[in-house]
Amino acid sequence: GDGCVADGVLIVGASRGTGLEVTRLLAARREPVTAFVRPGTDMAGLLQLRVKLYKGDILDPRSVEGALASGDFRAVIDTVGGKRGEPRPDYHGTRNLVDAARKAGVPRFIFVTAIGCGDSRGAVGPKVLEFLGAVLDEKTLGENYLMASGLDYTILRPGGMTHDPASGTAIRTEDRMAMGVINRADLARLVVECLDDPLTAGKIYHAIDPAIQRQAPLQRGEDLPGGRVQ
């Protein structure tokens, strides 16, 4: 830092899904965004945007500290998820990010998890827990670590996710039993809303789209095709 105001946003999980949608929204309004990406990640989507790339491994604390030191950040947005058969970054990666944010003096931390984490277990059906229980446990540990950190956190828990275009009808609610489906593009808008609104600090929201009537397959009790995890 050269004494300038910290205005950058570090996005983890930016190469695809919700993280990429958030990156698009922030880049479109000319915010200085740094995407933390693993070497070897498909960066095609990011390379079309005006963003800085920081290559590293979220499971390596020194790598994460390097990312936080690479700019003047006002916030971290953590949309990290894992692929099957790889070590889950949801807890250990998030813990590294939280520690590095505290060390670097970055006050704001937005974490996208999932309905079924923490005190919202009752909102999801038994199939969700059967398929995603281990993932939800990891994300819950991440939530708890963040909540105890002293950072200005906001946790957004989406329901089932779709790749459909944004509907504009998604909402965030503090109702811990709310369950539904949401398009990733709408979830990204809610993430940016939370980033813009200091009054969302210290809050946990469920993110759903009341206009989408169908339930997520696992919530209906159906196996996902091919045993995929969303």
Side-chain angles (χ1 to χ4, degrees):
D2 46 12
C4 68
V5 144
D7 59 353
V9 178
L10 181 72
I11 304 186
V12 182
S15 66
R16 60 192 177 100
T18 308
L20 181 56
E21 297 290 342
V22 171
T23 307
R24 280 194 186 116
L25 290 175
L26 293 180
R29 61 185 209 186
R30 304 247 185 256
E31 294 233 17
V33 174
T34 298
F36 185 99
V37 286
R38 272 197 312 190
T41 303
D42 176 7
M43 298 174 203
L46 285 173
L47 292 172
Q48 297 166 10
L49 306 173
R50 291 174 40 136
V51 296
K52 284 203 308 196
L53 299 179
Y54 187 93
K55 293 181 188 170
D57 178 2
I58 192 181
L59 293 174
D60 171 18
R62 274 184 308 197
S63 178
V64 178
E65 283 178 19
L68 265 298
S70 73
D72 285 305
F73 297 110
R74 66 186 176 102
V76 173
I77 298 176
D78 178 3
T79 66
V80 78
K83 295 195 180 74
R84 280 202 128 163
E86 292 182 358
R88 293 293 314 185
D90 308 79
Y91 172 47
H92 291 289
T94 295
R95 196 175 74 181
N96 290 341
L97 270 173
V98 166
D99 289 348
R102 286 178 64 180
K103 204 166 173 178
V106 179
R108 192 79 171 92
F109 196 112
I110 297 174
F111 187 24
V112 177
T113 60
I115 296 176
C117 290
D119 58 8
S120 67
R121 226 172 167 76
V124 296
K127 266 289 185 224
V128 176
L129 296 176
E130 181 190 324
F131 269 77
L132 296 176
V135 174
L136 295 172
D137 288 345
E138 288 285 307
K139 289 187 189 295
T140 298
L141 289 171
E143 286 188 353
N144 292 345
Y145 195 83
L146 173 60
M147 287 190 280
S149 70
L151 296 174
D152 295 331
Y153 70 84
T154 304
I155 292 166
L156 273 166
R157 296 173 177 160
M161 295 221 261
T162 80
H163 281 298
D164 292 341
S167 68
T169 48
I171 59 159
R172 54 186 159 86
T173 171
E174 292 188 74
D175 174 3
R176 298 291 192 263
M177 289 303 289
M179 178 58 182
V181 175
I182 188 167
N183 302 318
R184 284 177 172 84
D186 290 295
L187 175 58
R189 174 179 57 82
L190 295 179
V191 168
V192 173
E193 257 179 35
C194 289
L195 178 67
D196 290 345
D197 182 357
L199 294 178
T200 61
K203 305 270 194 190
I204 299 177
Y205 298 104
H206 286 202
I208 56 171
D209 193 336
I212 303 177
Q213 291 301 309
R214 67 182 187 282
Q215 283 186 308
L218 287 176
Q219 187 69 359
R220 284 198 303 261
E222 290 175 21
D223 289 358
L224 284 176
R228 275 188 309 113
V229 171
Q230 297 174 279

